[in-house]
């Protein structure tokens, strides 16, 4: 850490230039003899990213930002606050891959004791400094390897939290056993030292493959923010139940919606298939990632357009759906749509359709944008359809 970055004049400079491009700051001359232009650019970039991702940090004075990777891999305020709710009040938790410390900030609001382990000593110091600025006093910081810390301690924690790095030798990896640390190999140690183990994973990870890799999974949380799947969270316990509960969590700045189900419910659900009615429902990314296709229809009392078309419909509007809702203005077969050859404008989406949105826009000269939404999909009689909709 360069302590000069925390001087009032430097912090004021960063705030005054919040609309500036970090690249332009990096290429310019620093007005401060003890802070370089690249350092200013790095802090400005972190501040700009925090403005949306971590508003609590952005609105707190004298926050020190790490390099790009440290911020990219951190949780957001929305996901951190959600995970806070999984921690018991008065519990103990050790985060063996502490990083920038966002999750630990939220854990500390419920836990009595939080241990932050981070083998990058510089990042550990940054997280400790920021915790003080944020007014948190119940986090202990250890600039050590988290697995080594568990080996050296004989304490059993209520929770162990781990966010293994998905970058190994500068390359992205997608299996848990390829991440660092290897949570599959260290599984026995984790469950020996923690009554409950929470493993954060990237949204691209195959959920079923991860469940098979791990032992003792009781819950899987699939978390989306503004309809974009952001992370997976696997919960491991020493006394697992037979049925894993999947939590589809859709977060936004205004709402928090959750749908829970298990594999048996999805397997045995028997949705009704029907033609598009007055209303169309597009499931949130968390539902799609979880593979909650049939149970979604049954749970919300909706009809499904086709076994492999993950769109739902109803004649009367159904409140509480987790996803986007539309009013259907017109339905055409794709063959009629091609014959009409009318130029149109709209936001194009495809579901179970042979062509991709970009191909359709180019082929039919569809202009992007506007209030109209065009869904190209397969209907219940295997017919290719075009649904003209507007957002409800």
């Amino acid at each position: 850490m360069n302590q000069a970055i925390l001087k009032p004049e430097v912090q004021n400079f960063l705030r005054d230039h919040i609309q500036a491009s970090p690249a332009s700051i990096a290429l310019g001359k620093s007005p401060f003899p003890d802070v370089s232009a690249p350092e200013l650019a790095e802090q400005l970039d972190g501040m700009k990213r925090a403005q949306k991702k971590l508003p609590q940090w952005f609105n707190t004075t004298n926050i020190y930002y790490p390099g790009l990777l440290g911020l990219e891999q951190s949780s957001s305020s929305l996901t951190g606050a959600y995970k806070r709710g999984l921690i018991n009040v008065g519990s103990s938790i050790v985060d063996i891959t502490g990083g920038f410390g966002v999750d630990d900030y939220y854990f500390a609001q419920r836990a009595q004791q939080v241990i932050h382990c981070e083998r990058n000593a510089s990042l550990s110091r940054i997280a400790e400094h920021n915790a003080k600025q944020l007014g948190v006093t119940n986090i202990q910081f250890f600039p050590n390897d988290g697995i080594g810390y568990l080996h050296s301690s004989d304490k059993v924690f209520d929770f162990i939290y781990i966010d293994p790095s998905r970058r190994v030798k500068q390359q992205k990896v997608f299996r848990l056993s390829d991440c660092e640390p290897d949570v599959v190999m260290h599984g026995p140690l984790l469950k020996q030292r923690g009554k409950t183990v929470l493993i954060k994973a990237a949204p691209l990870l195959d959920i079923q493959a991860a469940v098979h890799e791990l032992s003792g999974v009781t819950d899987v949380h699939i978390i989306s923010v503004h309809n974009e799947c952001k992370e997976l969270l696997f919960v491991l316990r020493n006394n697992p139940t037979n049925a894993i509960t999947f939590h589809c969590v859709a977060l936004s700045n205004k709402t928090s919606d959750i749908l829970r189900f298990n594999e048996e419910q999805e397997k045995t659900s028997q949705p009704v298939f029907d033609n598009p009615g007055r209303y169309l429902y597009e499931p949130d990314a968390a539902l799609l990632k979880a593979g909650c296709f049939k149970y979604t229809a049954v749970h919300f009392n909706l009809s499904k357009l086709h076994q492999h078309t993950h769109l739902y419909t109803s004649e009367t509007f159904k409140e509480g759906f987790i996803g986007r809702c539309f009013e259907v203005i017109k339905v055409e077969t794709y063959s009629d749509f091609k014959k009409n050859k009318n130029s149109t404008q709209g936001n194009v989406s495809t579901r179970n359709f042979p062509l991709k949105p970009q191909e359709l826009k180019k082929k039919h000269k569809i202009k992007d944008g506007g209030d109209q939404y065009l869904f190209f999909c397969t209907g219940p009689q295997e017919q290719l359809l075009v649904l003209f909709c507007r957002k409800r």
Side-chain angles (χ1 to χ4, degrees), residues 342-362:
N342 294 326
S343 61
T344 186
Q345 182 178 14
N347 304 279
V348 176
S349 295
T350 57
R351 289 289 186 274
N352 190 23
F353 199 83
L355 298 176
K356 295 178 181 179
Q358 283 301 121
E359 295 173 307
L360 289 165
K361 285 187 281 188
K362 182 178 180 181

Side-chain angles (χ1 to χ4, degrees), residues 1-16:
M1 286 180 63
N2 180 357
Q3 294 293 331
I5 285 173
L6 301 173
K7 289 180 178 180
E9 58 270 27
V10 178
Q11 290 293 305
N12 290 336
F13 174 88
L14 292 170
R15 294 285 173 183
D16 292 342

Side-chain angles (χ1 to χ4, degrees), residues 33-66:
D34 42 7
V35 181
S36 68
E39 286 177 314
L40 286 173
E42 182 175 85
Q43 291 303 303
L44 182 63
D45 182 65
M47 190 177 286
K48 290 168 76 75
R49 291 173 185 274
Q51 192 169 12
K52 289 184 178 180
K53 186 175 182 177
L54 299 166
Q56 181 74 24
W57 279 250
F58 177 78
N59 293 320
T60 300
T61 58
N62 289 338
I63 291 294
Y64 198 107
Y65 295 97

